[in-house]
Amino acid sequence: MQELAKANLPNERVYFPKAEGLKLFEQMGEFLKCELIQEKADAVFSAYRTGKFLDFCRGPHVPSMGRIKAFKLLSVAGAHWKGDERSHPMQRIYGTAFFSPKDLEAYLHQIEEAKKRDHRRLGKDLDLFSIQEDAGPGLVFWHPKGGVIRREIEDWLRAELTARGYDLVFTPHAMRLHLWETSGHTNFYRENMFGVMDVENDQYQLKPMNCPGHILIYRSRARSYRELPMRLAELGTVYRYERSGVTHGLLRVRGFTQDDAHIFCMPGQLEAEVQACVEFALLVLETFGFDSYQVELSARDPQHAEHYAGTVEEWNLAESALMNTLKRMNVPFKYMPGEAVFYGPKIDIKLVDAIGRPWQLTTVQFDFNLPRRFGLEYVGPDGQAHTPVMVHRALLGSIERFFGVLIEHYAGAFPVWLSPVQAVVLPISDKHLTYAQSVADELRRAKVRVQLDDRNEKLNARIRDAQLQKVPFMLVVGDREAENRSVAVRRRDTGDVGSRPLAEFIVWARQLIDTRATKW
Ligand SMILES: [Zn+2]
């Protein structure tokens, strides 16, 4: 590669009529490339020639190899043709290139950091979750320690939802296929859905989304404008088909739980609802310790009004509700015309983690399609039937994915309130065991998650283990501590912080937990 870069060969774009190009690649013995050309190439397709090397590619490429000033091969991994486990095995070579050695250096540093934070490794080391061959790819088992974190996340979320006027609902995991035909999912979403189940000569579908369930609740009786806005929320588990070759830890899975909600309201209520969603989303970021984020507003392509469901007035109203809200709240955003899906504009919020990586999190999505397909109505102040406006919104997105991001952001060292074990009590020797036990009991009564490590191991070895498990506090107790009911406190980050009365430590720990402190 260095020789090629030095030779500064041009990357020449060449074109072939499909049949002629196919023959050429066949002669070169590139049978997989031929398959791609058959599938993807237009009547005339592009390829790139670099010296003797010819490749089928849409491009673009750098004009010549001399432009590449810094590059590195990153890894080699086994893969399968098109990510399908049953197809042709291949070797995939990963590399990267930059215009300056400094940029390459910064990138490699980020990769190194990311490796240390890999949630799949930490999930195993800290015993948080697993994905098991016996159950199948992309299906997540939350172990007791991961379960504690999930419960903390969900408890916080449920309390906030209730305080913000959401109603919590539950809907079935499998429903008649007919429902998904009405919603249109069997048309435009089929490839993401699990196969159909036959039950008593009827067909059922595992749910890929929660929306139709909430719609059925809305439609279960006549609605008056007085009931609006109606905010139906569910921690709803959905199943989506991903090829087994592309599932990835907690980030890309086949079953996951969304913190999903659907808001049904009148047009005049829209702006207030959108603002409440954005405020809620920003509170999520703050609560879980993320300082920076990016916001995108996806709008319609004004040249192609015919591509979209809903009327021009509806789109104008929805887009201005989104834009006005962001402007009023002084939230910087990127405006992306033409990026909206056919059924409505949306706001996406990405969090930026500790090492600068953006992660898609929150979506606030308008829908002009489903209320019509399901014939949703409310009786307005005028006594007439009207179609409500519907907004889909998820803040964390998927709880599994959010958990993966949390693990990587904190490199497994969670804030005290989220830590599965918040303190470990370490008696110096056996004769301090009774006191250690009473310390653990008292912490437990104060609802601090505590473990007593009375294993017959050297104190240093037990401290190291607690450190590796990223327990926030290690409480060492010996003669002196037993005498004056105190604990010698070690923090996992700064080490020894000295002795203090047990009662005082409990106040400190409770305060960190109750305020959900992320920095301490
Ligand atoms: Zn939805």
Side-chain angles (χ1 to χ4, degrees), residues 223-473:
R223 301 292 179 183
S224 144
Y225 72 96
R226 287 196 183 81
E227 295 173 77
L228 306 183
M230 183 183 285
R231 310 179 189 93
L232 300 181
E234 178 176 15
L235 294 169
T237 303
V238 296
Y239 295 90
R240 294 185 189 171
Y241 172 67
E242 297 270 10
R243 283 185 307 216
S244 57
V246 303
T247 57
H248 178 86
L250 295 170
L251 302 180
R252 205 149 165 194
V253 293
R254 284 179 169 177
F256 58 94
T257 301
Q258 293 177 302
D259 66 316
D260 209 354
H262 295 91
I263 300 169
F264 304 92
C265 66
M266 294 187 277
Q269 298 169 322
L270 261 182
E271 265 196 53
E273 289 306 309
V274 172
Q275 173 157 348
C277 287
V278 176
E279 282 168 358
F280 200 169
L282 297 184
L283 179 69
V284 166
L285 294 175
E286 189 190 318
T287 303
F288 291 94
F290 299 100
D291 305 324
S292 91
Y293 59 87
Q294 300 164 352
V295 179
E296 289 170 358
L297 196 172
S298 300
R300 91 208 106 151
D301 175 354
Q303 308 299 319
H304 292 283
E306 73 279 8
H307 289 176
Y308 300 94
T311 64
V312 171
E313 294 74 45
E314 284 172 323
W315 276 82
N316 289 344
L317 179 76
E319 288 183 2
S320 67
L322 292 174
M323 195 173 305
N324 293 345
T325 303
L326 293 175
K327 284 186 178 160
R328 198 172 47 241
M329 293 176 71
N330 270 324
V331 172
F333 65 94
K334 199 165 142 195
Y335 178 71
M336 316 225 303
E339 288 300 309
V341 284
F342 77 91
Y343 52 87
K346 64 171 176 172
I347 293 177
D348 286 320
I349 303 179
K350 292 179 179 151
L351 68 77
V352 179
D353 76 2
I355 58 170
R357 295 171 300 179
W359 301 89
Q360 168 64 41
L361 203 66
T362 300
T363 303
V364 180
Q365 166 83 61
F366 276 82
D367 195 325
F368 301 124
N369 184 44
L370 288 181
R372 288 203 174 81
R373 293 188 79 111
F374 281 93
L376 300 189
E377 287 182 344
Y378 65 92
V379 177
D382 56 1
Q384 303 294 309
H386 300 268
T387 305
V389 182
M390 179 178 175
V391 177
H392 309 250
R393 73 113 196 87
L395 303 175
L396 308 179
S398 134
I399 293 184
E400 280 74 6
R401 193 161 170 283
F402 183 70
F403 185 35
V405 174
L406 267 188
I407 297 172
E408 300 217 353
H409 177 65
Y410 285 111
F414 300 105
V416 180
W417 74 282
L418 286 170
S419 289
V421 178
Q422 292 162 326
V424 60
V425 184
L426 303 165
I428 290 174
S429 77
D430 274 356
K431 77 180 163 125
H432 309 114
L433 200 51
T434 316
Y435 176 60
Q437 187 68 59
S438 81
V439 169
D441 288 345
E442 201 162 328
L443 285 166
R444 212 166 280 130
R445 275 195 296 276
K447 298 198 170 62
V448 176
R449 290 187 290 267
V450 64
Q451 242 172 29
L452 172 63
D453 186 355
D454 57 359
R455 286 175 304 156
N456 200 7
E457 300 266 355
K458 287 234 162 56
L459 180 63
N460 276 341
R462 285 178 289 152
I463 288 176
R464 201 194 54 224
D465 284 350
Q467 195 77 42
L468 285 174
Q469 285 299 303
K470 319 219 180 211
V471 178
F473 291 112

Side-chain angles (χ1 to χ4, degrees), residues 13-31:
R13 187 168 193 171
V14 286
Y15 296 90
F16 296 100
K18 191 165 178 175
E20 187 188 314
L22 254 180
K23 203 176 275 169
L24 188 63
F25 278 87
E26 243 167 54
Q27 282 162 6
M28 288 157 55
E30 295 280 3
F31 63 98

Side-chain angles (χ1 to χ4, degrees), residues 1 72 121 299 516:
M1 286 173 67
K72 189 172 170 63
R121 188 173 61 75
R516 299 191 174 81

